Each structure stands twice: as structure tokens, then as C-alpha cells.
């Protein structure tokens, strides 16, 4: 049988239809103290926050003014918004609304961590740029080629300044970049393995369970 099967939740997401000239910057956060085993550890938070700064300082002023920043629901006492407010104004913080609704209509999505959000953005075919420290967000040997492919077409960056420079270059024609065949192929290949969608997901799952 073909693995993995399509995700019912991802399959129900609407496709991207740009209507708003803005950039959605999606954040995450982890507890300041270790209390469970997980892929992202507390000691990486300082570098994680510094990488936000590096990205925001490299973004052009005109693009930075278009950012809507979506913080993680739990701050864990770290003071993320206070830190980011050095470069973004209070009206740029997006605290309400369904994130996938914002993905549907926004010009570009920026995600600085490995999590569910970028899988949703990919499934919706929303133009997306990713950046994170690969040592902090490690992947298995089996998954590495798929992430390397994203790097090769300019979707994924290990360096926040390089990601910001990419945003500056493509901002005037994001769709022109995103719809390039090699970019779409890399994104689609990733989705086929990790964020598969199908209109027939219910039938596919029923067949799998029957087998």
C-alpha cells in the first residue's frame, strides 16, 4: 500500500487565493525549563529569539511594515512579544482568527520553526519561506532529502539573513517565484510524503483499514 495516506484535516483546507498585500510570520515557543522529552529543548530558545531579530533587521522597511506576526498561544514567561516589539508595532501582532484563513489570502507566509503550520501552508499551496537552525530542528536521514530539496529551490534556509534577502528579492512578484515548476515540484514532493491531500481521502482510508 502507498504510504503515507492522505491527511483528512489537510485535505479539507482551501487553496490559496491572494487578496491581501501582507506577510504572515508564524512563531512558536517552548517552556523555559525542561520537564519532558521533546525535539526542541529550552536551551535553544535564546538562539531562536535572536534568529527572529536577525531576520527582522534584514527585511526591508517596506516589507517589514506588511508583517502580521502570529505568536504561539503560550508564552511560558519568556516575553516573546516584548522582545519582538522592538522591531514590530503593536498593530502588527495577530492574536485572533484562524491561521489557515490568513494563509489563504495573504501574499507570503514566513515560518521559523518545524511544526504543523508549514504543512498546512504547503497543503494550501500558499507561498511559503522557511528558516530555522537545522541543529535545533533536526530531521531523520530518511526525511533529509526532502528538506534538502526545499533548500535547493529557495524555500528553506538555515540562515535568517539569507531568508530575509530572499523575501526582499521576491516581494514584488511572489507568485512569479512560487509558481516556478522547480519550486512547485519540490513543494509537491514534500507534500506527497509528509502532507498528502486527496479529495478521496475517506475512500483511501477505508480501503487501508479494510486491508
Amino acid at each position: 500500500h502507498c504510504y503515507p495516506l492522505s491527511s483528512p484535516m489537510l485535505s479539507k483546507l482551501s487553496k490559496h487565493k491572494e487578496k491581501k498585500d501582507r506577510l504572515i510570520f508564524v512563531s512558536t515557543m517552548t517552556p523555559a525549563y525542561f520537564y519532558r522529552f521533546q525535539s526542541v529543548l529550552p536551551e535553544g530558545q535564546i538562539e531562536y529569539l535572536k534568529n527572529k531579530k536577525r531576520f527582522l533587521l534584514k527585511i526591508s522597511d517596506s516589507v517589514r511594515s506588511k508583517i502580521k506576526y502570529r505568536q504561539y498561544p503560550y508564552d511560558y514567561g519568556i516575553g516573546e512579544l516584548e522582545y519582538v516589539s522592538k522591531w514590530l508595532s503593536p498593530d502588527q501582532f495577530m492574536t485572533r482568527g484562524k491561521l489557515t484563513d490568513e494563509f489563504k489570502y495573504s501574499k507570503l507566509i514566513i515560518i521559523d520553526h518545524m511544526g504543523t503550520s508549514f504543512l498546512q501552508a504547503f497543503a494550501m499551496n500558499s507561498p511559503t519561506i522557511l528558516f530555522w537552525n537545522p541543529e535545533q530542528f533536526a530531521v531523520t536521514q530518511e526525511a533529509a532529502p526532502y528538506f534538502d530539496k526545499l533548500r535547493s529551490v529557495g524555500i528553506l534556509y538555515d540562515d535568517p539573513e539569507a531568508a530575509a534577502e530572499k523575501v526582499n528579492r521576491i516581494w514584488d512578484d511572489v507568485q512569479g517565484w512560487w509558481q516556478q515548476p522547480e519550486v512547485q515540484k519540490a513543494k509537491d514532493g514534500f507534500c506527497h510524503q509528509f502532507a498528502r491531500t486527496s479529495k478521496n481521502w475517506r475512500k483511501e482510508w477505508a480501503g487501508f483499514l479494510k486491508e
Side-chain angles (χ1 to χ4, degrees):
H1 200 283
C2 185
Y3 295 96
L5 289 163
S6 300
S7 164
M9 295 304 294
L10 292 179
S11 297
K12 293 179 180 179
L13 294 175
S14 301
K15 294 301 181 181
H16 181 255
K17 296 179 181 179
E18 181 184 328
K19 292 184 178 180
K20 300 178 181 179
D21 185 36
R22 67 183 182 191
L23 182 157
I24 305 296
F25 190 162
V26 184
S27 177
T28 191
M29 198 55 57
T30 59
Y33 303 99
F34 180 85
Y35 72 97
R36 68 179 183 182
F37 289 100
Q38 58 186 32
S39 59
V40 183
L41 300 177
E43 52 264 34
Q45 283 293 21
I46 294 177
E47 180 185 2
Y48 175 70
L49 289 172
K50 287 182 177 179
N51 283 344
K52 292 180 185 292
K53 174 183 177 180
R54 291 168 59 190
F55 177 84
L56 290 170
L57 288 177
K58 195 68 176 181
I59 282 285
S60 67
D61 292 341
S62 59
V63 177
R64 191 187 305 128
S65 67
K66 304 291 186 179
I67 291 177
K68 289 294 183 180
Y69 188 86
R70 180 61 171 259
Q71 72 274 24
Y72 192 68
Y74 304 102
D75 184 72
Y76 299 110
I78 292 174
E80 176 191 6
L81 290 189
E82 182 179 357
Y83 180 79
V84 178
S85 64
K86 298 174 184 177
W87 306 283
L88 298 177
S89 60
D91 64 343
Q92 290 182 274
F93 296 133
M94 187 173 65
T95 58
R96 298 181 180 179
K98 194 174 180 180
L99 194 53
T100 51
D101 289 342
E102 303 298 333
F103 286 175
K104 181 178 180 179
Y105 297 118
S106 296
K107 186 173 183 177
L108 182 62
I109 315 301
I110 300 295
I111 300 177
D112 64 356
H113 61 281
M114 192 186 302
T116 306
S117 296
F118 87 89
L119 299 178
Q120 293 173 324
F122 277 13
M124 298 174 70
N125 200 26
S126 298
T128 305
I129 286 181
L130 312 170
F131 73 90
W132 55 66
N133 181 343
E135 294 183 0
Q136 186 176 8
F137 296 93
V139 301
T140 64
Q141 291 183 347
E142 293 79 7
Y146 297 93
F147 285 91
D148 288 341
K149 192 64 178 178
L150 296 181
R151 290 185 177 92
S152 72
V153 298
I155 294 177
L156 172 61
Y157 293 85
D158 302 338
D159 176 83
E161 283 92 355
E165 289 173 356
K166 179 70 173 185
V167 174
N168 291 337
R169 288 196 302 271
I170 68 171
W171 183 252
D172 290 336
D173 188 16
V174 172
Q175 283 293 328
W177 162 71
W178 184 249
Q179 295 300 333
Q180 291 178 23
E182 63 270 23
V183 175
Q184 284 291 299
K185 184 177 179 180
K187 182 267 299 178
D188 289 344
F190 190 96
C191 285
H192 187 74
Q193 184 67 20
F194 302 110
R196 191 176 302 186
T197 60
S198 172
K199 293 181 179 179
N200 298 317
W201 63 267
R202 191 184 302 274
K203 182 178 180 180
E204 292 170 6
W205 272 96
F208 170 73
L209 294 173
K210 184 178 180 180
E211 291 178 11

